[in-house]
Amino acid sequence: MSSQPEVVLEADASPIVRIIANNLKLALHEERIVRLMRSMRGSFALASTKDPQAVTITITSDNIHLSTGVSPRTKVVVRIDFDKMADPRHKPKIEGMFRHPYFTYQIGKLLSVPLPDWNDSAKRFWAAANGLPDMPAGLKVTCSDEDRSLNLGEGDDSEIVADAHRLAELFVGNSILANEVQRQRIRVKLSMRHLAGLSNAGIKLLLGESHG
Amino acid sequence: MDEPSIEEWLDRHHVEIVRTHATNLDGLAIGKYINRPKFLKSLEPGHGIADVALAMDLSGLPHMTFWHEFRHAQFGDIMMKPDLDTIISDGTDPDLGHCICDFVRVDGSEISLCPRTLLRNMTSQVSNLGYTVKASFELEFFVFDMTYSEARRRAYEDFDHIGASELQTIYLLRNAYHAKPLMDEVTKRLSWQGFKWESWSDENGLGQVELNFAPASPVTAADTIARARQIIYEVAVDMDKCVTFMAHPMRGYSSGLHVHHSLLRGDEPAFFDRSGTPELLANWIAGIIETMPAATSFLCPTINSYRRMREFTSPPVTATWGEENRSAALRLFTQSPAAARIEHRLPASDANPYLALAVILAGGIVGLKHNLSPPEELTYVGWALPREYERLPNTIGKAADVLAADGYLKEILGQDVIDYWVNSRRMEWLSFHTEGGDPATRRTTPWEYKRYFELM
């Protein structure tokens, strides 16, 4: 088995850099992704089509370095709606594809790694959030498009309801519960205190302060 | 003033309506216009207001990603308790009075997160050590020759400036003359309401003004700034101008909120000693210096605050001190007993005056309690120093991280206060990055203008 390349973030990294870094770390649990990353060299960038958020990913023999913005040294720029990154129907615009076709192909492979199943991520999230303040004693997670639910902790007075994709994004730290609730993408049966506690646990995941 | 005499006071000043005023964490003035019977009926524990008044961000959204014990699980009320010692008549509106309030719980007990309460508690801690504090602020802001709606229509670009010269001048009487009609009205209203302003002058930005106040007790000094900001805003609106207290509204120019303070032991200035630097002063500045990287989060609270922190542009960039050194973070005046004081030059103009002064006093208390020794006095220029001089945090995110890791300020201000503040700054950082702020630019972004220009 190849050793995992180290994912290194710039100092004071932006949220999108942290989110992409977290997703890369998760993807690197798969041996085929480790092999893929070991075969890649150079820089590419992911840039939002909606706002100035962007991240440059530089892959060397030593590590994978992530920084904010689009570096002038990038070979390929993938312009993408970050909210729809995990949606297979979403087609990003790619710059540099014709000059670097194989590198672009490798990037495509990397970006097509699906998020872990929401069920597993939810259990990891719950374990990492254990002991954080303002968490409910128990949480029922209901997946609206799979007709299944998961009970975490003790009691099911508190509940989160969303589709599988939203739940997967939430429990790996790609989205913040309170923001998703405000956008009406996720429905909840929670007190304000527990909504805050669960959201804060998500922010800690995003910041890399806990490991879901 | 006690409760029975308030009715007599209202009679004497013909006040029929009282405008209450409390300051939330972001420094926003929160309050209600209350008729006399209702005001008198709600002196204890105050009048109700939704708890989000103290728990919302600058876009008006409730803090939904962190929690504090004062909040209700389902958006309940807290109270605004009038401090009757602060009641004044308006001076221009014959029926109107004003009263500063503290945020308290429904049962009247204090809320540690209330900025005014926090500053009062810090003042008490200094008092318990045997000293009294005097403080004053230098308030800097920009005046524009246009209305807020016009500024908004132009997306906060292409400002109409007041002032005679586009050169980077300072103290220029010709520039000051252009601000004089507005400042005449501001100083008149301040004087009518009993606020002791001392001077105002042209600052080095186009249309930038600095207004200075006389020393007072910490809470009174911060009350004065809270009130003055509101008065300046109202005068600007009345005169078809607009003002902003955001820290960096124009390229090349920034506004600060320098804080002066001194300690007295009885009537004697404790920062003055003919025989040299008093031990108290050494401990006190050591504590402020030691905690300054962590305190930066309070002193520079917004994304925009950090655009101000560039070498050779006036704000300090290192945690340093020096006698009469304007490039150090702490500029000391210890050569005469009458003027003995410390000027803290780091706070940005968008800082909450209560929190800024509270965190500075907390630093001093740390120094005394832990008997800290200060670093060497900075006898050089404090900018462009070699790399071994550690720089203060220069982004909102870095500052929040440093504060989260600090132990000293938690010990004095309270773990709950630090945790809540750190979380609120991280949400400000997150909002900037995920709601359209551009991290690649060094200039003030449209996101900042929209969020801060009219509120700060």
Side-chain angles (χ1 to χ4, degrees):
Chain A
M1 186 191 244
S2 313
S3 64
Q4 275 191 12
E6 189 186 3
V7 177
V8 181
L9 279 70
E10 67 179 347
D12 200 29
S14 64
I16 193 63
V17 168
R18 292 170 196 258
I19 287 170
I20 300 296
N22 288 345
N23 286 1
L24 273 176
K25 286 176 190 169
L26 284 171
L28 286 168
H29 287 130
E30 287 190 39
E31 177 62 20
R32 67 182 178 95
I33 301 301
V34 174
R35 281 201 303 275
L36 173 69
M37 295 299 277
R38 287 273 179 228
S39 69
M40 294 173 76
R41 289 289 179 277
S43 290
F44 69 98
L46 304 175
S48 168
T49 52
K50 294 200 305 190
D51 57 35
Q53 292 191 95
V55 51
T56 294
I57 301 163
T58 303
I59 306 165
T60 67
S61 55
D62 297 327
N63 60 39
I64 305 165
H65 184 268
L66 286 87
S67 56
T68 303
V70 178
S71 159
R73 287 177 304 174
T74 51
K75 296 199 275 190
V76 173
V77 180
V78 180
R79 299 205 179 271
I80 196 166
D81 181 343
F82 284 117
D83 281 344
K84 297 177 181 167
M85 212 166 97
D87 182 348
R89 292 165 300 179
H90 177 56
K91 300 291 177 218
K93 289 179 184 162
I94 302 171
E95 295 163 16
M97 177 166 59
F98 295 112
R99 276 201 291 174
H100 306 282
Y102 187 64
F103 192 55
T104 305
Y105 167 76
Q106 290 176 308
I107 294 166
K109 285 274 202 194
L110 187 63
L111 296 182
S112 62
V113 177
L115 286 173
D117 179 72
W118 68 265
N119 216 290
D120 299 332
S121 299
K123 287 175 190 163
R124 279 198 297 272
F125 177 92
W126 188 257
N130 187 27
L132 290 177
D134 309 314
M135 290 286 289
L139 181 68
K140 181 179 179 185
V141 183
T142 300
C143 181
S144 55
D145 55 346
E146 291 178 0
D147 197 25
R148 61 176 172 145
S149 60
L150 169 71
N151 284 305
L152 300 162
E154 290 171 12
D156 59 1
D157 277 355
S158 302
E159 186 177 10
I160 292 178
V161 183
D163 63 36
H165 168 64
R166 295 277 177 226
L167 291 176
E169 294 270 17
L170 179 71
F171 288 121
V172 298
N174 285 2
S175 61
I176 308 296
L177 180 59
N179 293 352
E180 295 300 287
V181 169
Q182 279 171 334
R183 291 173 186 167
Q184 300 189 21
R185 291 166 164 173
I186 292 181
R187 303 207 169 273
V188 293
K189 206 170 76 180
L190 292 168
S191 69
M192 272 299 292
R193 181 186 196 128
H194 292 153
L195 175 61
L198 285 160
S199 301
N200 201 19
I203 290 175
K204 290 193 181 303
L205 204 58
L206 185 151
L207 292 172
E209 291 181 359
S210 68
H211 306 281
Chain B
M1 192 183 304
D2 56 13
E3 282 186 39
S5 52
I6 190 69
E7 280 206 68
E8 186 199 330
W9 187 93
L10 293 171
D11 285 340
R12 203 168 60 244
H13 293 85
H14 311 290
V15 167
E16 294 299 325
I17 299 165
V18 178
R19 185 172 79 182
T20 56
H21 178 162
T23 301
N24 75 3
L25 287 170
D26 283 305
L28 304 188
I30 302 289
K32 290 183 177 179
Y33 289 81
I34 300 178
N35 69 23
R36 178 184 165 134
K38 172 72 178 172
F39 178 73
L40 289 171
K41 209 167 76 179
S42 55
L43 294 176
E44 285 288 344
H47 63 83
I49 194 162
D51 65 0
V52 293
L54 186 55
M56 65 178 169
D57 70 13
L58 287 166
S59 66
L61 287 173
H63 292 152
M64 287 170 68
T65 60
F66 43 97
W67 192 254
H68 190 275
E69 289 299 330
F70 84 85
R71 296 176 67 184
H72 296 267
Q74 293 88 17
F75 296 105
D77 268 359
I78 53 174
M79 311 304 272
M80 283 177 59
K81 182 182 177 183
D83 177 347
L84 296 180
D85 288 337
T86 69
I87 196 160
I88 49 170
S89 57
D90 182 78
T92 49
D93 186 331
D95 291 338
L96 188 64
H98 301 276
C99 192
I100 300 261
C101 298
D102 295 310
F103 290 113
V104 297
R105 292 170 207 260
V106 175
D107 65 6
S109 60
E110 76 171 35
I111 296 173
S112 56
L113 267 183
C114 168
R116 194 168 187 264
T117 300
L118 189 68
L119 177 56
R120 190 186 303 107
N121 290 344
M122 288 306 106
T123 309
S124 297
Q125 287 201 34
V126 179
S127 177
N128 292 341
L129 294 166
Y131 302 97
T132 52
V133 185
K134 289 283 180 198
S136 67
F137 292 85
E138 296 176 9
L139 182 61
E140 292 179 349
F141 55 97
F142 280 84
V143 185
F144 299 97
D145 195 8
M146 59 204 299
T147 62
Y148 281 105
S149 55
E150 179 62 15
R152 218 175 294 144
R153 200 183 62 76
R154 295 187 200 175
Y156 309 104
E157 290 176 349
D158 188 25
F159 290 115
D160 289 338
H161 301 286
I162 65 162
S165 166
E166 292 200 2
L167 299 173
Q168 194 167 352
T169 52
I170 189 166
Y171 307 128
L172 198 69
L173 289 175
R174 289 186 179 190
N175 272 352
Y177 190 69
H178 290 262
K180 190 169 177 295
L182 180 130
M183 290 308 296
D184 279 350
E185 187 62 25
V186 166
T187 50
K188 193 166 68 182
R189 292 192 196 180
L190 285 168
S191 297
W192 278 343
Q193 295 188 15
F195 296 111
K196 292 177 180 158
W197 69 277
E198 288 188 329
S199 62
W200 69 270
S201 60
D202 165 56
E203 255 294 332
N204 74 338
L206 198 57
Q208 190 181 20
V209 172
E210 177 180 313
L211 175 59
N212 305 136
F213 292 89
S217 73
V219 170
T220 300
D223 284 348
T224 302
I225 294 302
R227 276 257 176 79
R229 280 178 174 168
Q230 182 67 17
I231 288 171
I232 293 164
Y233 173 88
E234 289 171 3
V235 171
V237 169
D238 290 349
M239 298 179 78
D240 289 337
K241 303 278 190 281
C242 66
V243 294
T244 188
F245 298 95
M246 70 188 287
H248 190 71
M250 289 168 63
R251 195 173 185 183
Y253 306 110
S254 301
S255 293
L257 182 70
H258 297 173
V259 182
H260 294 252
H261 75 282
S262 59
L263 297 192
L264 300 170
R265 194 198 308 263
D267 291 330
E268 294 299 310
F271 288 164
F272 176 75
D273 187 341
R274 283 187 203 286
S275 59
T277 305
E279 192 182 347
L280 159 82
L281 178 61
N283 292 154
W284 189 262
I285 59 178
I288 298 176
I289 295 278
E290 176 68 30
T291 56
M292 198 180 296
T296 301
S297 181
F298 286 102
L299 303 176
C300 302
T302 69
I303 298 285
N304 193 245
S305 308
Y306 295 87
R307 303 211 182 273
R308 177 175 164 261
M309 290 177 72
R310 294 188 192 170
E311 313 247 344
F312 279 105
T313 61
S314 184
V317 293
T318 53
T320 46
W321 67 278
E323 182 75 28
E324 260 293 16
N325 187 340
R326 267 201 165 83
S327 63
L330 302 185
R331 177 186 176 203
L332 268 61
F333 304 80
T334 61
Q335 303 305 305
S336 87
R341 68 188 189 279
I342 296 170
E343 177 189 9
H344 200 312
R345 296 177 58 80
L346 179 58
S349 57
D350 52 11
N352 181 323
Y354 299 97
L355 296 180
L357 190 45
V359 79
I360 291 168
L361 296 184
I365 295 166
V366 164
L368 292 186
K369 286 197 166 174
H370 293 273
N371 196 25
L372 298 180
S373 299
E376 288 286 303
E377 179 180 359
L378 182 74
T379 52
Y380 311 110
V381 172
W383 300 297
L385 287 165
R387 284 175 193 273
E388 58 262 30
Y389 286 84
E390 196 174 334
R391 266 38 177 195
L392 290 163
N394 62 356
T395 68
I396 194 170
K398 286 184 196 170
D401 289 346
V402 173
L403 178 59
D406 176 83
Y408 281 133
L409 290 180
K410 281 190 192 114
E411 177 192 320
I412 306 298
L413 294 167
Q415 176 91 40
D416 62 324
V417 172
I418 300 295
D419 287 350
Y420 201 90
W421 181 260
V422 165
N423 285 326
S424 74
R425 294 312 94 189
R426 284 180 172 163
M427 278 311 290
E428 194 69 7
W429 165 82
L430 201 61
S431 298
F432 171 73
H433 284 281
T434 59
E435 292 171 6
D438 185 356
T441 179
R442 295 184 70 191
R443 301 181 66 167
T444 298
T445 59
W447 183 92
E448 291 158 77
Y449 282 117
K450 203 172 161 191
R451 195 167 178 97
Y452 303 134
F453 186 88
E454 297 188 41
L455 281 179
M456 288 296 157

